């Protein structure tokens, strides 16, 4: 139990997926203009990463691992994730329309979000079992959501600020993200 | 300048993937703790880019349009796996320091972006030169960022001491936040000089299918934000 807690905290806060591993920077910078949209993206990422880490872990434990096909990890995982996102989108569209309306726009973006493939590969490389993989996946996704919502909140507040011309647009966002990354260093004392 | 050299010039300067198009930021920020890491990441990405461009361009008339993206992903993932195994065998130190970012070359927007935008429409030779140009442009950008971070954060470039011994390294620059700061400063300089860059809106935004094949900062995310 303690081990699982450590995995969850370290993946969500200490080695935050965006601010210390740089996975998913595109959407982190691109979809963080408003808290509302950032929360939507975060929800979609939690949803997809959780399912993807479950499926990738099962595939590795029962097919790739026993057959010694480790070198196929990258190819298999990326295809599974791409197919999975399509399936999830179709399923939500048919069966859970309200959830689809909330997450719909963000789902296709997630295939190219390297955080999803990153989690699946980290799980295998660190030798995590099924439960640990899922916990790591959920923790990572929650870390992503925390980071993107925080950034969106800061951006909403700094929108009206008088920013020097050269720093307008993405430079100021990157500076903000850098300061957040410094703040997140504080969490390394947690473990 | 013939059309082959034009492709190389285009990749290095006119449409530099990092500074002009702002795509493929994940590896850019993650592995550039030193200039030598930048070289390793840049060259391995270049190899994948060139080989994937050639194969996709050669198969472009055979691949049906409806399964275009999955087919491209399989081609790219196969080459990434080959590069991954070669690096594990021949450059174990570099493999160790680049870690998970080698398999993540698969989701690098630059590679799928070039496959979609160029290799699917042009012949294999031109696509190869396009890949070489883009790859060199990417490598130069990584070396530049890596060199700045190494210089400020450790006082060295390529492991050679540059700063005088009295210089106290600002080690935050080789840690995660430094990556954000250096890229922020480099893009701010571009804004100041009014150089073409996706960040100041002077590069025409192309709308394409497939998530990240345009530029990252104004990719589908912005459209999604508008749709809200």
């Amino acid at each position: 139990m303690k081990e699982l807690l450590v995995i969850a905290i370290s993946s969500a806060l200490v080695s935050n997926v965006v601010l210390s591993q740089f996975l998913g920077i595109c959407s982190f910078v691109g979809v963080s203009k408003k808290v509302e949209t950032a929360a939507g993206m975060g929800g979609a990422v939690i949803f997809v990463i959780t399912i993807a880490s479950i499926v990738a872990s099962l595939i590795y434990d029962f097919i790739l691992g026993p057959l010694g096909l480790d070198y196929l990890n990258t190819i298999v995982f990326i295809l599974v994730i791409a197919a999975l996102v399509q399936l999830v989108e179709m399923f939500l569209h048919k069966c859970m329309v309200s959830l689809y309306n909330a997450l719909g726009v963000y789902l296709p973006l997630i295939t190219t979000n390297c955080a999803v493939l990153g989690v699946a590969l980290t799980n295998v490389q660190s030798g995590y079992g099924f439960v640990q993989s899922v916990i790591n996946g959920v923790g990572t996704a929650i870390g992503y959501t925390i980071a993107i919502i925080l950034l969106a909140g800061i951006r909403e507040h700094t929108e009206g600020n008088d920013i020097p011309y050269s720093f307008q647009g993405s430079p100021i966002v990157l500076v903000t993200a850098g300061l957040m990354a410094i703040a997140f260093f504080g969490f390394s004392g947690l473990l | 300048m013939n059309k082959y050299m034009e492709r190389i010039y285009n990749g290095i300067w006119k449409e530099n993937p990092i500074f002009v198009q702002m795509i493929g930021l994940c590896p850019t920020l993650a592995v550039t703790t030193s200039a030598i890491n930048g070289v390793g990441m840049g060259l391995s990405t270049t190899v994948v880019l060139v080989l994937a461009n050639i194969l996709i361009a050669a198969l472009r008339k055979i691949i049906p349009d409806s399964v275009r993206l999955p087919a491209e992903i399989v081609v790219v993932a196969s080459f990434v796996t080959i590069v991954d195994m070669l690096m594990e065998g021949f450059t174990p130190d570099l493999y160790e320091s680049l870690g998970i970012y080698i398999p993540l070359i698969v989701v690098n927007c630059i590679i799928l972006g070039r496959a979609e935008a160029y290799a699917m429409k042009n012949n294999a030779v031109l696509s190869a030169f396009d890949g070489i140009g883009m790859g060199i442009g990417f490598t130069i950008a990584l070396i530049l960022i890596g060199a700045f971070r190494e210089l400020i954060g450790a006082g060295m470039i390529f492991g050679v001491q540059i700063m005088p011994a009295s210089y106290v390294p600002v080690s935050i620059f080789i840690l995660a936040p430094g990556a954000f700061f250096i890229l922020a400063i480099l893009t701010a300089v571009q804004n100041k000089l009014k150089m073409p860059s996706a960040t100041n809106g002077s590069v025409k935004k192309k709308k394409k299918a497939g998530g990240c094949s345009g530029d990252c900062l104004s990719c589908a995310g912005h459209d999604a934000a508008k749709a809200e």
Side-chain angles (χ1 to χ4, degrees), chain B residues 184-206:
Chain B
I185 293 166
L186 288 174
T187 42
V189 169
Q190 275 182 298
N191 277 354
K192 181 82 190 158
L193 301 176
K194 295 202 168 32
M195 280 154 85
S197 158
T199 55
N200 53 23
S202 53
V203 172
K204 218 176 89 211
K205 281 168 192 151
K206 293 169 212 142

Side-chain angles (χ1 to χ4, degrees), chain A residues 21 26 29 37 109 114 166 170, chain B residues 26 101 191 199 216-217 220 228:
Chain A
Q21 296 185 59
C26 290
V29 176
T37 44
L109 299 182
C114 34
S166 336
S170 66
Chain B
C26 302
Y101 297 99
N191 277 354
T199 55
C216 257
L217 294 171
E228 269 292 291

Side-chain angles (χ1 to χ4, degrees), chain B residues 8-24:
Chain B
I8 300 214
Y9 169 74
N10 181 59
I12 295 175
W13 186 254
K14 228 170 82 196
E15 283 184 25
N16 186 296
I18 301 292
F19 292 126
V20 181
Q21 301 186 65
M22 302 270 316
I23 56 177

